[in-house]
Amino acid sequence: MLPPSFSSQLDAYKPKGYSFNDVATRWNHLSTAYREKKGCYTQTKGDHMAYIMARMPATYAACQAVLEEAIGSGLPVPQSALDIGAGPGTMGWALSQLPQGADIIVSQVEQDPEFITFCNRIRPPLKAIHNHKSFLGNTGLSIHDWVTMAYALCELKPAHQEAWVREAYTLVGQSLILIEPGTPVGYQTLMRARDQLIALGGYVLAPCPHQARCPLGEGDWCHFSTRFERTQEARKLKQATLPYEDEKFCYLIVTKSPHLHSLPKGRVLRHPQPRTGHIHLDICAPDGAYKRTTISAKTKSIYKLARSLKWGDDLPFDLPNP
Ligand SMILES: C[S@@+](CC[C@H](N)C(=O)[O-])C[C@H]1O[C@@H](n2cnc3c(N)ncnc32)[C@H](O)[C@@H]1O
């Protein structure tokens, strides 16, 4: 959930004549655009408020989950980060909540004037924030420890995606973090970026525990899920009954140097399936294969660890020989 300092600044920002009903109407319009795959179709002020109140909590939850994974994989907290396609500054808020997040200098690139105004007014607790309007060919952008792009790539045409990935990678000091919706299109977008980044000399840190081709077959796609609390307002806007929502996302963390890698033993690709006396795990393995493994209760040492695993986790033990 976005931190309380965000909510209090948002309350103060709401425009004169702000109407919850107008925002709810704009949210209906936005969610139809998402369903029709038109992407982030923000046109009027109501659209931006609808994105901020109903969609940003979900993209924020995905950003937080991926940043947690980055730190858990051994990346040091960055001193500087560049977020491209920042929207209302979602990633900046997630970065600010990392340990020592208040010491990070964040640069954001966003083309939409409404979102730029929002980012200038509603500011996360970071060491400094710089806002830029254009990305490709912007000579004002320097190298940053981390470069991030969340829910931005798959809204571009494939030819533009390639140019963005290339340019983003030139601005990376240490790591590039990409997040996309957990859909087949989001996955395919990231797979193209993955091929491109490996060809440029990058090393995949997560989610893949290898640099080989993705072993998933046709019709399957690697994605993960994070659960977050819904605010009362978001619940009302979406006419939802549940107090939480699950956001499905795909991600990719690519580093410039191999030495940053911890040694991955595998990635849990689906909800583990516990049975009596054993548990089934679907694993992406370090040899680049997709494996369905059964861990028996007889192998006490790893069974206990296997029982605590969740979809998306790093495997904490070596896969037993079949
Ligand atoms: C779906 S929004 C994602 C916003 C944010 N990253 C998040 O996760 O909530 C994609 C954003 O990319 C921005 N964008 C698209 N093309 C751009 C460009 N050429 N330069 C800068 N921003 C761009 C859009 O204006 C939009 O705000």
Side-chain angles (χ1 to χ4, degrees):
M1 201 162 168
L2 279 141
S5 62
F6 174 84
S7 315
S8 52
Q9 291 185 67
L10 178 62
D11 284 340
Y13 174 83
K14 281 175 187 161
K16 242 192 176 157
Y18 162 84
S19 143
F20 181 85
N21 289 343
D22 286 351
V23 176
T25 308
R26 298 319 294 173
W27 170 248
N28 282 336
H29 163 86
L30 258 190
S31 52
T32 307
Y34 278 119
R35 272 198 303 279
E36 291 172 355
K37 302 195 172 36
K38 288 187 188 154
C40 180
Y41 200 61
T42 39
Q43 286 187 326
T44 71
K45 197 157 195 136
D47 289 338
H48 293 84
M49 284 307 282
Y51 184 90
I52 290 160
M53 287 163 63
R55 183 67 191 130
M56 184 181 178
T59 59
Y60 174 79
C63 290
Q64 268 206 315
V66 175
L67 294 187
E68 215 171 274
E69 181 61 40
I71 301 295
S73 305
L75 291 183
V77 174
Q79 291 182 344
S80 62
L82 169 67
D83 184 39
I84 302 160
T90 319
M91 182 61 87
W93 278 93
L95 286 161
S96 76
Q97 300 304 301
L98 288 175
Q100 288 107 45
D103 297 334
I104 307 174
I105 297 172
V106 172
S107 304
Q108 305 181 130
V109 185
E110 174 53 54
Q111 63 172 8
D112 183 320
E114 286 289 343
F115 278 147
I116 295 173
T117 305
F118 186 83
C119 287
N120 281 327
R121 292 269 304 276
I122 313 285
R123 298 170 80 86
L126 291 158
K127 186 168 179 185
I129 309 174
H130 306 292
N131 289 320
H132 302 262
K133 208 174 164 177
S134 61
F135 173 42
L136 292 185
N138 181 347
T139 49
L141 296 173
S142 54
I143 290 185
H144 290 68
D145 292 339
W146 288 7
V147 176
T148 59
M149 283 196 256
Y151 294 87
L153 265 189
C154 84
E155 297 197 354
L156 305 170
K157 294 196 177 101
H160 292 170
Q161 290 171 3
E162 206 182 315
W164 273 43
V165 170
R166 195 180 327 109
E167 182 124 342
Y169 192 65
T170 63
L171 296 168
V172 170
Q174 188 190 77
S175 311
L176 176 63
I177 298 181
L178 305 177
I179 307 175
E180 289 299 331
T183 59
V185 173
Y187 163 72
Q188 284 146 12
T189 304
L190 287 192
M191 285 303 101
R192 284 194 297 275
R194 185 179 185 274
D195 288 346
Q196 192 185 347
L197 289 163
I198 290 175
L200 288 169
Y203 299 88
V204 180
L205 178 68
C208 334
H210 58 80
Q211 313 296 308
R213 286 201 75 78
C214 177
L216 292 186
E218 190 147 350
D220 203 354
W221 69 102
C222 179
H223 66 290
F224 304 93
S225 180
T226 185
R227 179 161 290 183
F228 63 96
E229 215 179 300
R230 270 186 178 134
T231 60
Q232 286 288 352
E233 263 182 333
R235 216 159 135 181
K236 240 171 97 188
L237 267 181
K238 296 184 163 185
Q239 296 173 336
T241 47
L242 290 175
Y244 63 82
E245 202 172 315
D246 290 321
E247 172 66 6
K248 305 271 186 344
F249 62 94
C250 304
Y251 75 98
L252 191 61
I253 306 176
V254 172
T255 61
K256 280 216 157 160
S257 338
H259 70 266
L260 289 169
H261 287 217
S262 49
L263 287 174
K265 297 173 191 297
R267 171 83 50 194
V268 181
L269 288 190
R270 308 195 196 289
H271 286 303
Q273 303 286 315
R275 301 281 182 268
T276 314
H278 61 273
I279 184 164
H280 297 300
L281 298 175
D282 287 327
I283 301 292
C284 187
D287 62 3
Y290 170 66
K291 295 179 180 166
R292 172 157 263 222
T293 307
T294 302
I295 308 286
S296 158
K298 287 179 193 150
T299 49
K300 268 195 193 143
S301 54
I302 58 173
Y303 182 66
K304 200 165 166 218
L305 290 171
R307 298 267 316 179
S308 66
L309 286 173
K310 298 183 303 301
W311 176 16
D313 281 351
D314 248 346
L315 200 64
F317 48 80
D318 287 314
L319 276 176
N321 289 325

